[in-house]
């Protein structure tokens, strides 16, 4: 049995309990089977999953688009191609490569550059690793930084995690799936299986019920031997499963409030348990819980085209998926002293207003929008979204501490230019904003060169699990060989943006953060004689920009190329990209 029926009652009924217990029994048997598979056999299994995901890509992307209220032909339907099947296919390809190396007796980091990073850290240059990525995503690079004190030798020795000891079972885990991005539940299941040798009971969020048949088809190769079971249900099902004696581990993607309810319980009893440090949950838990993400705009001498491009860049960080993202940029940090401050704000207002309209579809988003409007009655209402520009007399606290998870973007200002601004902005992001999941930094090449080592020191001081320089941290999410999760330090008592990491297709141990670097200017302004020393890219406008005219077609085309490797299809897609 792959899925059970939905339950919204406070307690599940007898038949549902029997079905859930049966699914867990199947997984207990499946865990034993998994521990008897060689790594080479696991590669064969992953290839079968990949073939099914590729065959399911159309249904996956279209079902997700329809469920989010995006009708056929809507310019933002491409989001569901990239954040669904494209992300999953990329992860499968990367895991297959890692496990193939292990099966062949090679190290997962063979031919991968490993060197030193600031502060006694080791750095793995984890992206790009394929010729296709070097071409299509030229200008983008990704690094995984390990915790201070871990040496390059130790990194290589530990790479592979549980696949180094495939016979050691991780038992049965519960994955409480995210409700916003359709690849997250699948990617979490894959990470549990490959990083921890743990089979999974996946409880999908009710917002993704329509995707269950797609998941069942795409993941049939995991379901049939008992490595995965998928169930529907609300809080009652979740409560029953987290307490189940045969579930050995829980992983959740969601909110800190839900995490606390699972660990401590609800209402007064939960608060009392927390004070007394008596958690209701008696088993290990990992979590990815979001936060309030900063966008630091480093002042420099920007052209009009630079201003326009990065205003649209920031609008994308907030408005992709209607702001229903754990990694949506929420607080722009500007220099009060920047000569182009007002020009940039004008461009940002324009970009934020002109982005295509779409539903705010995630449950509770209407109340959060009302909360933001109440917190900031003078905010600019631009169609279905709010832009909050914090003035001298405004209280910034709600904006800095509330993850609105809706189309609400704020702007705050700090004093200074150059290194003074960068240091003040990093301090503001570290000390004032809730959470540590991801931070974005926009800086022109000339200013970055002028800052020199001071800029690298500031990036090192930025305490976030994912950092994007001239890119959006969602690029790190979608890149499987990078890692995803909060900056280390979260506990059940103070979880912040979560505990642990996912993705991590190189299966690295001791991860601290991932850093993405992208091109400041798009093509053709990225050409060497125009870019001012910046990075070259072939993309005139990335397809994930909400302002991309051909984003839907390009995102679908890139997914099909990922699935089939068709060069002729790729050429057509690149022509569409040039029209973005």
């Amino acid at each position: 049995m792959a899925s059970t029926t939905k339950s919204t009652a406070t307690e599940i009924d007898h038949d549902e309990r029997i079905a859930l217990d049966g699914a867990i029994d199947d997984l207990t048997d499946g865990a034993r089977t998994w521990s008897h598979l060689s790594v080479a056999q696991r590669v064969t299994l992953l290839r079968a999953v990949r073939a099914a995901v590729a065959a399911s890509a159309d249904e996956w992307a279209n079902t997700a688009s329809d469920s989010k209220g995006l009708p056929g032909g809507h310019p933002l339907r491409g989001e569901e191609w990239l954040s669904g099947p494209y992300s999953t296919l990329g992860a499968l390809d990367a895991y297959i490569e890692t496990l193939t190396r292990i099966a062949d007796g090679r190290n997962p980091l063979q031919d991968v550059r490993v060197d030193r990073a600031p502060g006694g850290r080791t750095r793995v240059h984890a992206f790009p690793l394929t010729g296709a990525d070097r071409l299509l995503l030229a200008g983008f690079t990704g690094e995984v930084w390990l915790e201070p004190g871990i040496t390059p030798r130790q990194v290589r020795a530990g790479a592979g995690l549980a696949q180094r000891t495939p016979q050691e079972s991780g038992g049965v885990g519960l994955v409480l799936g995210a409700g916003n991005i359709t690849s997250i539940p699948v990617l979490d299941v894959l990470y549990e299986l490959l990083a921890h040798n743990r089979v999974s009971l996946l409880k999908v969020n009710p917002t993704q019920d329509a995707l269950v048949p797609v998941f069942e088809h795409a993941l049939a190769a995991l379901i049939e031997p008992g490595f995965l079971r998928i169930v529907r249900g609300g809080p009652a099902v979740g409560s029953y499963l987290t307490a189940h004696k045969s579930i050995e581990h829980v992983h959740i993607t969601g909110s800190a409030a839900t995490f606390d309810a699972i660990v401590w319980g609800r209402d007064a009893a939960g608060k009392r348990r927390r004070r007394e440090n008596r958690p209701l949950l008696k088993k290990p838990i990992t979590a990815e819980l979001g936060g309030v993400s900063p966008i630091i705009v480093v002042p420099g001498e920007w052209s009009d085209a630079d201003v326009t491009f990065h205003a649209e860049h920031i609008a994308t960080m907030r408005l992709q998926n209607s702001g229903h993202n754990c990694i949506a940029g929420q607080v722009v940090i500007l220099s009060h002293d920047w000569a182009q401050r007002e020009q940039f704000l004008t461009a940002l207002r324009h970009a934020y207003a002109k982005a295509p309209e779409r539903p705010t579809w995630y449950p509770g988003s209407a109340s959060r929008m009302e909360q933001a409007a109440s917190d900031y009655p003078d905010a600019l209402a631009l169609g279905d979204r709010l832009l909050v520009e914090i003035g001298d007399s405004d209280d910034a606290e709600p904006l800095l501490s509330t993850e609105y998870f809706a189309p609400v973007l704020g702007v705050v200002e700090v004093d200074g230019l150059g290194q003074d601004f960068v240091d003040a902005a990093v301090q503001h992001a570290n000390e004032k904003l809730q959470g540590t999941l991801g931070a974005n930094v926009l800086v022109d090449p000339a200013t970055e060169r002028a800052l020199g080592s001071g800029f690298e020191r500031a990036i090192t001081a930025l305490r976030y699990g994912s950092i994007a320089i001239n890119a959006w941290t969602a690029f790190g999410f979608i890149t499987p060989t990078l890692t995803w999760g909060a900056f280390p330090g979260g506990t059940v008592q103070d979880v912040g943006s979560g505990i642990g990491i996912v993705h991590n297709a190189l299966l690295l141990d001791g991860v601290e953060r991932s850093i993405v670097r992208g091109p400041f200017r798009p093509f053709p302004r990225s050409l060497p004689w125009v870019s001012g020393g910046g990075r070259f890219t072939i993309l005139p406008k990335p397809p994930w920009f909400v302002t991309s005219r051909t984003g839907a077609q390009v995102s679908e085309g890139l997914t099909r190329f990922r699935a089939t490797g068709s060069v002729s299809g790729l050429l057509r897609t690149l022509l569409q990209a040039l029209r973005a």
Side-chain angles (χ1 to χ4, degrees):
M1 179 176 177
S3 61
T4 66
T5 56
K6 180 179 177 181
S7 170
T8 56
T10 56
E11 294 185 5
I12 62 175
D13 60 31
H14 175 75
D15 290 342
E16 195 162 26
R17 183 177 293 108
I18 294 298
L20 293 171
D21 289 347
I24 294 173
D25 288 343
D26 292 344
L27 289 166
T28 302
D29 293 338
R32 287 191 288 269
T33 302
W34 178 256
S35 67
H36 286 88
L37 293 184
S38 68
V39 177
Q41 288 172 316
R42 296 173 182 188
V43 171
T44 300
L45 183 71
L46 290 178
R47 287 181 175 141
V49 174
R50 188 195 189 284
V53 169
S56 304
D58 281 82
E59 184 183 8
W60 185 330
N62 290 327
T63 301
S65 296
D66 293 343
S67 71
K68 295 181 180 183
L70 297 174
H74 195 285
L76 297 181
R77 285 175 75 96
E79 293 179 0
E80 300 310 316
W81 285 91
L82 289 181
S83 64
Y86 179 90
S87 296
T88 305
L89 288 167
L92 286 164
D93 286 342
Y95 283 128
I96 288 169
E97 176 62 25
T98 293
L99 267 65
T100 297
R101 292 183 178 205
I102 294 172
D104 292 345
R106 295 177 290 151
N107 190 282
L109 296 181
Q110 180 177 315
D111 302 322
V112 177
R113 185 156 63 101
V114 179
D115 60 14
R116 290 292 193 174
R121 295 169 173 85
T122 294
R123 167 175 54 197
V124 177
H125 294 265
F127 181 86
L129 297 178
T130 69
D133 286 339
R134 290 187 186 96
L135 170 65
L136 298 177
L137 295 168
F140 291 88
T141 58
E143 308 162 1
V144 179
W145 289 19
L146 288 303
E147 293 179 344
I150 297 177
T151 67
R153 182 184 295 274
Q154 290 171 322
V155 172
R156 292 188 183 277
L161 294 180
Q163 298 313 301
R164 299 170 63 241
T165 54
Q167 72 284 355
E168 295 182 8
S169 173
V172 179
L174 171 65
V175 172
L176 298 173
N180 59 331
I181 296 295
T182 62
S183 65
I184 291 178
V186 178
L187 297 178
D188 290 350
V189 164
L190 290 173
Y191 194 68
E192 287 288 288
L193 192 61
L194 300 174
H196 304 293
N197 282 334
R198 188 179 295 130
V199 301
S200 291
L201 180 64
L202 167 62
K203 191 194 85 64
V204 298
N205 188 290
T207 64
Q208 300 215 10
D209 278 355
L211 270 295
V212 169
V214 180
F215 292 160
E216 289 174 338
H217 178 252
L219 304 175
L222 299 180
I223 293 171
E224 290 167 6
F227 305 148
L228 172 66
R229 288 292 181 267
I230 303 174
V231 300
R232 296 177 171 93
V237 170
S239 295
Y240 179 75
L241 293 174
T242 55
H244 201 285
K245 60 181 177 59
S246 296
I247 295 292
E248 298 180 37
H249 179 273
V250 177
H251 177 78
I252 176 177
T253 301
S255 69
T258 302
F259 177 92
D260 288 342
I262 292 169
V263 173
W264 306 104
R266 299 182 185 275
D267 304 324
K271 293 178 181 178
R272 183 171 62 253
R273 288 191 193 94
R274 190 167 186 167
R275 286 196 304 271
E276 298 170 356
N277 197 25
R278 293 186 299 105
L280 187 65
L281 187 72
K282 304 300 183 183
K283 58 197 67 172
I285 183 170
T286 52
E288 190 266 274
L289 306 175
V292 176
S293 295
I295 307 164
I296 298 173
V297 180
V298 181
E301 294 183 11
W302 292 18
S303 69
D304 292 347
D306 293 337
V307 169
T308 298
F309 179 78
H310 285 294
E312 294 181 10
H313 198 174
I314 291 175
T316 295
M317 295 182 197
R318 179 72 261 182
L319 296 178
Q320 199 270 356
N321 200 30
S322 199
H324 308 317
N325 288 332
C326 59
I327 200 55
Q330 180 165 308
V331 177
V332 180
I333 304 178
L334 281 183
S335 167
H336 178 75
D337 303 314
W338 187 23
Q340 293 178 272
R341 165 184 159 276
E342 190 54 45
Q343 179 191 3
F344 188 81
L345 283 172
T346 299
L348 180 59
R349 296 175 196 124
H350 179 69
Y352 200 63
K354 77 171 187 178
E357 292 191 3
R358 60 170 299 164
T360 49
W361 61 271
Y362 201 80
S365 58
S367 63
R368 285 188 291 273
M369 292 293 290
E370 291 172 2
Q371 177 187 347
S374 175
D375 291 336
Y376 300 103
D378 295 329
L380 292 174
L382 303 170
D384 58 351
R385 57 207 67 155
L386 291 178
L387 180 61
V388 180
E389 298 178 25
I390 298 295
D392 293 339
S393 61
D394 294 322
D395 179 11
E397 179 59 26
L399 176 69
L400 305 181
S401 62
T402 306
E403 184 187 7
Y404 287 113
F405 213 70
V408 179
L409 178 67
V411 179
V412 299
E413 297 180 4
V414 300
D415 294 333
L417 296 169
Q419 193 68 50
D420 290 342
F421 168 81
V422 173
D423 291 341
V426 167
Q427 182 179 12
H428 191 89
N430 283 341
E431 298 179 2
K432 301 293 186 181
L433 272 60
Q434 187 274 325
T436 63
L437 184 61
N440 311 276
V441 181
L442 303 178
V443 57
D444 68 271
T447 299
E448 184 175 353
R449 283 195 303 273
L451 291 168
S453 61
F455 183 75
E456 290 301 315
R457 286 197 303 272
I459 294 300
T460 304
L462 198 50
R463 295 194 300 270
Y464 285 81
S466 181
I467 298 171
I469 302 166
N470 293 332
W472 178 26
T473 43
F475 188 94
F477 169 90
I478 210 171
T479 303
T481 48
L482 298 180
T483 60
W484 191 250
F487 196 80
T491 66
V492 293
Q493 278 281 4
D494 183 12
V495 69
S497 285
I499 300 170
I501 60 167
V502 290
H503 303 185
N504 188 27
L506 295 173
L507 299 178
L508 304 174
D509 196 15
V511 169
E512 181 185 66
R513 70 181 92 181
S514 286
I515 297 181
V516 173
R517 301 174 193 265
F520 181 75
R521 297 183 174 99
F523 184 83
R525 294 190 301 112
S526 65
L527 291 167
W529 55 88
V530 181
S531 66
R535 293 170 170 234
F536 173 76
T537 179
I538 66 171
L539 295 175
K541 183 178 289 187
W544 54 85
F545 269 41
V546 293
T547 51
S548 173
R549 292 183 296 180
T550 59
Q553 300 96 312
V554 173
S555 298
E556 179 180 345
L558 289 174
T559 305
R560 295 192 188 283
F561 172 71
R562 174 69 77 176
T564 68
S566 170
V567 175
S568 61
L570 176 61
L571 291 175
R572 289 193 297 271
T573 297
L574 291 178
L575 289 174
Q576 290 281 6
L578 292 174
R579 298 177 51 244

